[in-house]
Amino acid sequence: MKTVKNIMLVGVSTLVLSACGADDVASPGAGTVVINNPAPTPAPTATPTPTATLVMPASACPVITDPQGLRDRGTITGPTGTYRVCALPARLNASSILPRTTGVLYNMSGRVDVGTDQGPTEEATDAADVTLTIQPGVIVFADAGPSFININRGNQIQAVGSATQPIIFTSRANVEGTTTDSSSGQWGGVVLSGRAPITDCAAPAAAPGTVACERQTEGAVDPALYGGATANDNSGRMSFVQIRYSGYVLSANSELQSLTTQGVGSATVLDHIMSFNSSDDGAEFFGGRVNMKYYVSIGAEDDNLDTDTGLKGNFQYVIVAQRLNATPAIADSMIEADSDNAVDGDNPRQNVFLSNFTFIDRVAGNADVASILLRGGTDYTAANGILVNSVTNPCLRISRAQTASTTQNTAIDEFGSPVFRSVVFSGCGASPFSGANGVTDAQVQAIFAAGTNTNANYTPTLTSLFVNGANETAVPAFNASTFNGQTFNGITLTPAGFFDATTYIGAVRDANDTWYQGWTCNSATAALGASNSLCTTIPTF
């Protein structure tokens, strides 16, 4: 919506109209009035005050390739205007493009499947692969309830926005302008299902990490399977994407996240993704091989970076901020890695590399009992990180002896104990470290202290919530590019060239580092840049 602002300054004989930018339109008036002697100076007539330009609905829905087409559901009106509502079919059976069309919003009135599940392996008898392409600036909103989009195995999404025109998945209430900075859980989320290896198989006799090892999407009523043995599987690309107000409860204790990847392979591209006010996790990664850069999680009510079921994952440049003074206190940990359960010894064992993160923990007494929870035998390497804990939770909790094991063992895919390089904690209280299920507090402290340039009593000087200040700049950075190309137990852990070498810790180097601006949205929790729109309304670009 192009906003027109006017400041009327009334003087003795002049009237000045001031506008705010090149896109604004001001009327010059309809003529002059001549004043009789002795005052010969003409004065302009009063200029009408322009009104804000609202979006008008398109006359019809765009045509897509899928034979079912888009269903015209009339119009929807919100603070930015009125839009044509074009509903996606329940299943896309042909590759289709959702074009950005002025006055059009796309709608999910329930679960939307992209293609059909093609099983854990590629077969000649498979149905044709389906790719859903979404153009920059497109907004897709979901009706309240169990509405979510699932990219089935063997199919792809190409949702590639831009820094100035992100793709937005959101709720009906957000379009109508009734959401607030505390709204959440209004629809499901975005689910990518792939054929890469996973553990915790649904079939008890299935071997983890093989084509026999499959799982069902948590809470989904109808089949939404994932898993296989194709490490480099490709579920498509998501870049410059916002996912707002997600996390609807599909069934008891089973909620979707903003973004759920499950068995996604290493050929999938994920970058510049924002989760806003998910009622569950900001993002959860079930197994597979995930490589993701530039991730922002704001206001999630559970975990923010949740990794499970044998994930081999790599993440760089991560901003997390919990809601301030939420009532009741909601949200859980910054990181929850794997689960303590009967099959947490399955191979492939989870192994995650994380670099350049800034975590703002504002919620006391969370269920994970710490800002970072590592458990279930997970292997984890964290570098160049800042954790600011304002509520005196323990900063780091490690559960189970296998998680704390310092010995590499290829027979059980054990990479060793968690590793910390140039990671600093602030505000962890009297007990920064917590052990559980066979791990002592002292062991956790020793693991953290064994790293290089670690500090559990750090004094932050962050500005604008997450931008590095003088003390952050003074911390020696670890060269994360040395992670690249690592293999272990015959598995590529970190692809060549993924991690950048940085000269700083944290996600944002200084005020000149603006990778998070433009494609995100602002809220009371985190201001991500003056040029951004509010999360409580939809932009018109």
Side-chain angles (χ1 to χ4, degrees):
M1 180 178 63
K2 297 179 179 177
T3 304
V4 179
K5 299 180 180 178
N6 296 282
I7 301 173
M8 303 296 294
L9 300 178
V10 180
V12 174
S13 61
T14 62
L15 180 65
V16 180
L17 175 65
S18 177
C20 66
D23 290 338
D24 299 299
V25 178
S27 170
T32 59
V33 176
V34 178
I35 301 176
N36 293 327
N37 280 337
T41 305
T45 59
T47 304
T49 301
T51 58
T53 302
L54 298 177
V55 174
M56 300 298 292
S59 58
C61 291
V63 175
I64 63 172
T65 305
D66 191 273
Q68 298 176 87
L70 299 168
R71 181 162 56 95
D72 189 335
R73 296 188 64 194
T75 61
I76 187 171
T77 299
T80 58
T82 301
Y83 300 83
R84 178 70 51 195
V85 177
C86 301
L88 300 174
R91 186 182 304 276
L92 288 158
N93 290 307
S95 294
S96 300
I97 298 173
L98 299 186
R100 179 179 176 270
T101 302
T102 300
V104 165
L105 298 179
Y106 299 96
N107 170 244
M108 294 187 291
S109 56
R111 171 175 164 177
V112 172
D113 283 280
V114 174
T116 57
D117 176 35
Q118 297 183 19
T121 58
E122 186 72 25
E123 304 290 345
T125 55
D126 285 346
D129 296 351
V130 174
T131 298
L132 174 62
T133 300
I134 305 177
Q135 291 186 341
V138 162
I139 297 174
V140 182
F141 75 90
D143 291 341
S147 299
F148 70 99
I149 186 168
N150 177 44
I151 315 304
N152 282 292
R153 288 183 295 188
N155 304 282
Q156 292 188 5
I157 187 172
Q158 293 291 333
V160 183
S162 70
T164 56
Q165 292 189 332
I167 293 165
I168 299 175
F169 293 91
T170 191
S171 66
R172 173 177 286 272
N174 192 204
V175 174
E176 294 173 334
T178 61
T179 51
T180 69
D181 280 339
S182 60
S183 300
S184 67
Q186 297 180 338
W187 64 291
V190 178
V191 180
L192 307 184
S193 301
R195 291 166 163 162
I198 62 170
T199 61
D200 295 36
C201 317
T210 70
V211 294
C213 187
E214 301 176 288
R215 285 173 58 88
Q216 162 75 349
T217 299
E218 286 187 351
V221 176
D222 296 321
L225 298 173
Y226 62 95
T230 307
N232 65 344
D233 193 39
N234 188 349
S235 295
R237 178 180 176 185
M238 293 182 65
S239 300
F240 296 103
V241 172
Q242 295 178 28
I243 308 174
R244 305 178 180 181
Y245 301 110
S246 64
Y248 188 82
V249 180
L250 296 182
S251 63
N253 298 316
S254 293
E255 300 165 311
L256 288 175
Q257 293 65 233
S258 287
L259 175 66
T260 302
T261 75
Q262 36 193 40
V264 163
S266 60
T268 306
V269 177
L270 299 171
D271 64 83
H272 296 89
I273 294 177
M274 178 186 187
S275 164
F276 179 73
N277 279 22
S278 169
S279 68
D280 199 65
D281 301 326
E284 186 163 10
F285 306 88
F286 292 92
R289 307 285 191 265
V290 172
N291 306 304
M292 182 175 177
K293 280 185 173 178
Y294 305 110
Y295 167 52
V296 178
S297 180
I298 305 297
E301 295 178 8
D302 196 0
D303 307 310
N304 290 275
L305 188 61
D306 194 339
T307 51
D308 292 293
T309 60
L311 171 74
K312 305 290 189 183
N314 301 287
F315 304 90
Q316 189 170 23
Y317 309 115
V318 178
I319 297 172
V320 172
Q322 293 173 327
R323 268 178 257 165
L324 181 64
N325 299 325
T327 304
I330 51 176
D332 212 338
S333 59
M334 305 285 103
I335 294 172
E336 182 182 275
D338 228 315
S339 302
D340 290 337
N341 60 27
V343 292
D344 62 14
D346 280 358
N347 293 347
R349 187 178 300 280
Q350 181 181 225
N351 200 337
V352 170
F353 288 78
L354 166 66
S355 184
N356 295 95
F357 58 92
T358 302
F359 293 160
I360 310 299
D361 187 347
R362 293 163 155 172
V363 177
N366 64 40
D368 285 341
V369 200
S371 300
I372 296 173
L373 173 62
L374 308 180
R375 61 183 181 179
T378 184
D379 294 322
Y380 218 99
T381 301
N384 298 326
I386 303 164
L387 166 61
V388 177
N389 180 331
S390 62
V391 289
T392 67
N393 293 326
C395 281
L396 176 62
R397 183 176 177 87
I398 297 177
S399 175
R400 294 220 184 196
Q402 189 64 60
T403 315
S405 172
T406 59
T407 304
Q408 286 193 347
N409 184 348
T410 57
I412 58 172
D413 197 27
E414 173 57 62
F415 193 64
S417 63
V419 175
F420 297 89
R421 301 282 186 261
S422 299
V423 174
V424 296
F425 294 162
S426 171
C428 304
S431 302
F433 305 104
S434 172
N437 297 314
V439 181
T440 67
D441 296 358
Q443 283 179 286
V444 179
Q445 182 175 6
I447 287 171
F448 184 75
T452 56
N453 297 312
T454 58
N455 184 351
N457 295 290
Y458 177 74
T459 300
T461 56
L462 295 168
T463 63
S464 302
L465 189 64
F466 50 78
V467 177
N468 285 358
N471 287 1
E472 290 74 38
T473 301
V475 178
F478 176 78
N479 181 3
S481 70
T482 59
F483 293 153
N484 292 332
Q486 288 199 40
T487 61
F488 182 74
N489 205 23
I491 296 173
T492 298
L493 301 178
T494 52
F498 177 80
F499 283 101
D500 301 328
T502 65
T503 58
Y504 58 93
I505 67 169
V508 181
R509 181 186 65 246
D510 55 31
N512 296 313
D513 185 6
T514 59
W515 64 261
Y516 55 89
Q517 291 184 2
W519 58 276
T520 52
C521 61
N522 280 327
S523 67
T525 303
L528 294 164
S531 63
N532 305 70
S533 66
L534 293 174
C535 299
T536 51
T537 189
I538 61 170
T540 58
F541 302 116

